[in-house]
Amino acid sequence: MPLPMVHAQGVRKQYGKLEVLKGVDLTVERGQVCCLLGPSGSGKSTFLRCINHLEKIDGGRLAVDGDLVGHRQAGDRLYELREAEVAARRRDIGMVFQRFNLFPHLTALQNVMEAPVRVARVNIAEARAEAGRLLDRVGLADRADHYPAQLSGGQQQRVAIARALAMKPKLMLFDEPTSALDPELVGDVLDVMRDLAADGMTMVVVTHETGFAREVGDTAVFMDEGVVVESGAPRQVLVAPTQERTKAFLGKVL
Amino acid sequence: MATPTHPPAAAAARPDRPVGAPAPQQLTAVPVRHWGRRVTAVLAVLALVGLIGSLAKNPNLHWDVVGHFLLADLVFDGLVTTVWLTVAAMAVGLGLGTLVAVMRLSANPVLHGLSALFVWVFRGTPLLVQIIFWAYAAALYKHVMIGIPFTTVTFVEFDTNALLTPTVAALLALGLNEAAYASEIVRAGIQSVDPGQTEAAYSLGMKPALTMRRIVLPQAMKVIIPPMGNETINMLKTTAYVSVIAAHDLMSNIQDVYAQNYQVIPMLVVAALWYLALTTVLSVPQAWLERRYGRGTARAGQVSPLRRMFTGAAGLLPAFGGSRNTTDQKG
């Protein structure tokens, strides 16, 4: 049995007195697409952000490909790693944000090239060629020299996916990637994600798109109030849920 | 209504139009005539012409003296010092100010407190007090030395009077004072950048320093440059204050001259003309920088700064600056 890509055991996180994650257990195997669903405030986005240490966990164990992300374990304590060490581990984990977060002062091509050139120290000609290929893959080869402000939301999100892929990650995290898009632009982004899944990329996707979760997801995880309520095959969780809270949530969104 | 023009006979048949009145199609709208506006404009221009005429003819203004000293060596030397002092003080201010701003935003409470203290002191006391203080700092410490505290080990030692020449004192005073203001401008610029930008950079494996340099600061520049341009123009004029410690800037030398020849007003005209010329020149690089760091925003036009300067007033007209943005092509 190979190591799971994401392995969370009893992950806890609190903001002051407010407990947002109350012991999350979750396993994502290699090459799998895991869709996280749940009402707002359920902790699903916070959990996703813990996976690449944008949020620091307060307890429990969270490993990506066998390595703890932001910590080093010694006995029963987790010591937070230095910024440089955290940065090194994040290189293998791509992330796509709800609000795209493209760098507005750089063109689409420069956005994709930035990390390979500055972080991975790839030479510029090579990085440019690879960035061109990635933009082509997300269907935006002809928009390479456009600034983000000159692109539609759907195009921006596809550039953001290309930017994350440029670091050749082994895991991709998506934080509600289509929630900020006009309805007619959602399809293009989901198509790119579907291709990515077909290529065998391991993905954790926080989404409200139950259709996408059913079609592309290998597992669906329903979270509420900081814990995993129910998880399993999407057809089972989304069509025939066993938990009352899952039923109530799906009744509202479907 | 596309009805053909009716002859008067047809008009007479209509009860709503008196006989002999013009057809509606022949009416022309006339805007309100602003007679008051024209009168005021004429009076204002007359007043200005009168003032200029009176100045030109006033023998006490001594245009010959103005002409004589405008390109005099002493004035020119002062000018060089003023420009040099402005550039150096702004460099100190921006460099130190950025450091203080980063300290202010740091998670380290001691650094945060120190930067707050710095801004509090240097922004809270008059510049004139600071200038005179640095000039007379030798009265506080006769010697400055670099060594190991609480031991007798000393590496270098200076006589404070020799170190703090009026020019050095002026540079210290202006630079430190500017740093306090610049730090607030830089801090506002950094804070104006969406935290999502930092998160995106981190998620790509970028370290904090690289993120600050490549992602945050270039975006903060858009917010920092316009006020820093104002600060620079302000600094150029503020250097005149250092004449109180005879720092050999333009204003010091002008004062030296009129202390001897008593031509106060003509010499002040010389100073004013030079300050005006320099501040005008300074607005060019500011416009260029704004365009450079406005990249990627819909508002940043592709018009060159020089052209924008000359079409400044005309920019209100749609034919010029107004609508030539490379705006969004959504879709």
Side-chain angles (χ1 to χ4, degrees):
Chain A
M1 186 82 180
L3 275 174
M5 186 58 83
V6 180
H7 192 44
Q9 298 159 287
V11 170
R12 284 179 284 111
K13 166 78 189 171
Q14 57 192 53
Y15 297 117
K17 286 239 156 55
L18 180 72
E19 263 195 301
V20 247
L21 300 178
K22 302 171 183 166
V24 174
D25 297 299
L26 185 78
T27 304
V28 182
E29 301 295 343
R30 276 160 202 284
Q32 280 204 334
V33 176
C34 169
C35 292
L36 284 176
L37 299 109
S40 65
S42 60
K44 56 192 192 307
S45 278
T46 304
F47 175 71
L48 190 79
R49 292 160 57 83
C50 286
I51 298 179
N52 69 353
H53 204 59
L54 282 181
E55 301 285 351
K56 298 165 186 181
I57 63 172
D58 291 316
R61 196 170 188 285
L62 179 50
V64 172
D65 202 16
D67 288 327
L68 297 185
V69 181
H71 299 91
R72 175 174 56 79
Q73 191 175 356
D76 62 349
R77 284 184 180 270
L78 296 175
Y79 294 95
E80 192 177 357
L81 293 176
R82 295 182 175 284
E83 284 157 343
E85 296 169 299
V86 178
R89 298 204 178 174
R90 281 188 184 128
R91 287 166 58 164
D92 295 335
I93 307 172
M95 182 153 188
V96 174
F97 299 85
Q98 182 178 358
R99 305 282 330 166
F100 329 133
N101 295 355
L102 286 183
F103 306 134
H105 58 304
L106 302 178
T107 63
L109 193 77
Q110 289 168 337
N111 262 279
V112 181
M113 286 169 63
E114 181 69 12
V117 171
R118 301 284 160 178
V119 179
R121 302 260 169 219
V122 176
N123 81 55
I124 292 191
E126 211 173 297
R128 180 175 293 124
E130 176 63 17
R133 277 195 290 278
L134 284 166
L135 285 178
D136 190 35
R137 181 172 173 185
V138 298
L140 292 170
D142 58 333
R143 293 284 189 272
D145 295 325
H146 285 55
Y147 284 99
Q150 299 168 320
L151 299 171
S152 73
Q155 291 171 335
Q156 287 190 52
Q157 193 61 298
R158 285 185 280 153
V159 173
I161 295 173
R163 177 177 70 175
L165 291 175
M167 290 300 281
K168 301 189 170 47
K170 53 191 176 188
L171 168 68
M172 284 282 283
L173 308 174
F174 293 84
D175 190 3
E176 303 197 25
T178 58
S179 298
L181 298 178
D182 291 338
E184 80 271 20
L185 303 175
V186 169
D188 290 340
V189 172
L190 292 183
D191 284 345
V192 169
M193 293 170 63
R194 203 173 283 126
D195 285 351
L196 209 53
D199 278 0
M201 176 63 76
T202 311
M203 296 160 60
V204 182
V205 186
V206 171
T207 187
H208 294 296
E209 301 281 338
T210 49
F212 176 84
R214 260 212 305 271
E215 183 201 341
V216 181
D218 295 298
T219 51
V221 174
F222 177 74
M223 282 181 69
D224 194 15
E225 293 178 358
V227 291
V228 171
V229 174
E230 185 165 6
S231 69
R235 297 211 170 277
Q236 184 251 308
V237 175
L238 296 171
V239 181
T242 55
Q243 303 294 316
E244 281 309 314
R245 276 194 282 179
T246 318
K247 284 180 195 165
F249 173 73
L250 291 173
K252 280 180 207 157
V253 298
L254 288 181
Chain B
M1 294 293 159
T3 45
T5 321
H6 289 290
R14 301 284 297 267
D16 57 329
R17 186 146 55 97
V19 182
Q25 293 83 352
Q26 291 163 338
L27 296 175
T28 312
V30 178
V32 171
R33 292 215 157 75
H34 295 280
W35 295 112
R37 219 181 260 178
R38 295 178 189 194
V39 171
T40 323
V42 168
L43 285 178
V45 169
L46 282 178
L48 184 65
V49 169
L51 182 65
I52 292 174
S54 131
L55 281 174
K57 280 186 293 183
N58 189 332
N60 296 333
L61 198 63
H62 286 294
W63 285 104
D64 54 321
V65 176
V66 172
H68 179 255
F69 279 99
L70 197 60
L71 298 170
D73 280 353
L74 195 65
V75 170
F76 195 72
D77 288 348
L79 204 61
V80 170
T81 305
T82 289
V83 169
W84 174 88
L85 205 54
T86 304
V87 172
M90 285 310 293
V92 169
L94 191 57
L96 191 60
T98 305
L99 182 74
V100 172
V102 171
M103 280 168 66
R104 188 71 175 263
L105 296 170
S106 125
N108 186 329
V110 176
L111 291 187
H112 175 97
L114 283 177
S115 77
L117 182 72
F118 176 87
V119 173
W120 180 64
V121 170
F122 285 94
R123 208 173 53 170
T125 54
L127 177 58
L128 199 53
V129 171
Q130 292 177 35
I131 290 171
I132 300 173
F133 171 84
W134 287 112
Y136 290 91
L140 190 59
Y141 292 102
K142 284 218 168 340
H143 301 277
V144 193
M145 52 186 96
I146 300 173
I148 302 170
F150 312 114
T151 66
T152 52
V153 183
T154 310
F155 301 125
V156 239
E157 187 174 341
F158 301 101
D159 176 21
T160 312
N161 261 324
L163 196 66
L164 278 181
T165 62
T167 322
V168 172
L171 176 59
L172 262 180
L174 293 174
L176 289 173
N177 186 259
E178 182 56 35
Y181 286 93
S183 78
E184 290 296 285
I185 291 171
V186 173
R187 180 169 72 113
I190 291 174
Q191 284 179 328
S192 75
V193 178
D194 176 8
Q197 292 289 311
T198 303
E199 290 187 350
Y202 283 1
S203 77
L204 290 165
M206 294 174 79
K207 292 173 199 167
L210 184 66
T211 302
M212 181 57 80
R213 191 160 57 78
R214 291 284 307 170
I215 306 301
V216 177
L217 281 181
Q219 295 182 55
M221 282 302 182
K222 206 171 44 182
V223 177
I224 292 172
I225 283 170
M228 281 314 287
N230 285 342
E231 288 290 305
T232 309
I233 287 171
N234 227 342
M235 176 61 81
L236 187 86
K237 296 179 293 169
T238 305
T239 53
Y241 276 124
V242 305
S243 61
V244 297
I245 57 168
H248 304 298
D249 70 309
L250 178 58
M251 195 58 200
S252 307
N253 290 1
I254 292 279
Q255 284 179 336
D256 285 353
V257 175
Y258 70 60
Q260 285 182 15
N261 68 5
Y262 302 108
Q263 300 289 345
V264 177
I265 296 292
M267 292 314 292
L268 288 181
V269 170
V270 170
L273 287 175
W274 274 116
Y275 281 118
L276 261 179
L278 289 176
T279 50
T280 308
V281 168
L282 272 180
S283 55
V284 175
Q286 182 182 7
W288 182 82
L289 280 171
E290 280 181 29
R291 190 169 71 129
R292 168 81 171 65
Y293 285 99
R295 279 181 313 183
T297 55
R299 252 164 51 86
Q302 300 297 312
V303 190
S304 88
L306 270 178
R307 205 169 141 194
R308 188 155 47 153
M309 248 187 73
F310 291 122
T311 57
L316 299 170
L317 300 172
F320 293 93
S323 60
R324 39 173 53 246
N325 299 338
T326 54
T327 34
D328 316 23
Q329 331 177 324
K330 302 270 183 198

